[in-house]
Amino acid sequence: MTKYSYWLLNIVSCLYLVSYFMSPAKIKKSQLKQLARKIFDFGFGRFLHELGLSPKSSKTRAGWPEASALSQLLLALGPGYVEAGRIAGSRSDLVPSQYQSDLLHLRYYPAPLSPLGIKNLLKRQLPMAPERLFSHFDSVPCRRHALGSSHQAVLHDGRRVLATLNYPEAVKIFSANIATIKWLLAHL
């Protein structure tokens, strides 16, 4: 295994830290095929080939793709892979310097919800009606993150708070990413 294969594998293994808190899901063969296809499409087929995970007839590009290609690959794979890349990017002992900056600045944001979508999500995630808890709730997020958004709000006693909402679809995708990576780590 070359130096580059080693650090790419370590990017994936860093996800184990994130996956510690996530519950495993069943891995479907189609998920693995999709993962392999995206890895090839973004120019990292050589990585799979060196690990013995690609068919002998597969054509791989010579050399390694640019750092931006790795960032684009992780974004295409989903939020779990983005977080793994960010963790790996902080490790200069694992990741070559030309890739570190891109990985450290990588961010994944799910599509924003409409104000009505935010209100409906609030109703599902809170133990009581939002009107009973907040005197004001700003439906426009002040911050977006990998699993949802944060909103400024005011409680009835006048205290200003930050309410964080997790988008169910983003959590589902993140969990599936983590489960796939756990499976890969166990089988590589």
Side-chain angles (χ1 to χ4, degrees):
M1 185 180 296
T2 68
K3 172 184 163 185
Y4 290 112
S5 295
Y6 178 75
W7 75 259
L8 279 170
L9 186 58
N10 276 299
I11 287 174
V12 175
S13 65
C14 282
L15 254 184
Y16 193 77
L17 297 171
V18 178
S19 68
Y20 180 77
F21 297 102
M22 305 299 288
S23 59
K26 289 186 178 180
I27 303 303
K28 296 177 184 168
K29 197 173 186 178
S30 62
Q31 287 174 299
L32 297 175
K33 283 182 180 179
Q34 221 175 18
L35 175 65
R37 179 79 265 148
K38 285 183 181 176
I39 290 171
F40 270 101
D41 290 348
F42 282 87
F44 289 91
R46 182 175 164 192
F47 168 65
L48 293 178
H49 187 72
E50 287 184 12
L51 291 173
L53 298 175
S54 66
K56 299 286 183 219
S57 61
S58 296
K59 297 202 184 225
T60 60
R61 298 178 192 168
W64 289 94
E66 296 293 321
S68 61
L70 178 58
S71 296
Q72 293 304 313
L73 169 62
L74 296 175
L75 283 167
L77 291 173
Y81 294 92
V82 168
E83 291 305 312
R86 290 180 62 205
I87 292 168
S90 69
R91 300 278 313 268
S92 60
D93 59 323
L94 299 179
V95 179
S97 58
Q98 68 265 31
Y99 288 85
Q100 275 188 296
S101 180
D102 272 18
L103 292 176
L104 289 171
H105 293 96
L106 196 57
R107 298 289 184 269
Y108 176 90
Y109 301 111
L113 295 179
S114 68
L116 181 60
I118 294 291
K119 187 174 183 175
N120 291 335
L121 187 57
L122 262 176
K123 286 179 181 178
R124 287 195 310 265
Q125 291 186 357
L126 290 174
M128 63 180 77
E131 301 79 28
R132 289 190 57 205
L133 189 58
F134 303 113
S135 62
H136 172 75
F137 184 89
D138 190 354
S139 62
V140 176
C142 61
R143 182 168 185 265
R144 293 173 56 211
H145 51 85
L147 299 179
S149 58
S150 297
H151 302 260
Q152 294 178 348
V154 179
L155 300 176
H156 285 291
D157 65 5
R159 286 184 290 163
R160 298 172 61 103
V161 295
L162 192 64
T164 299
L165 297 174
N166 288 330
Y167 299 177
E169 189 61 30
V171 172
K172 182 180 170 184
I173 292 168
F174 188 83
S175 297
N177 290 168
I178 299 298
T180 302
I181 291 166
K182 277 181 152 179
W183 185 92
L184 286 170
L185 290 174
H187 292 86
L188 285 181

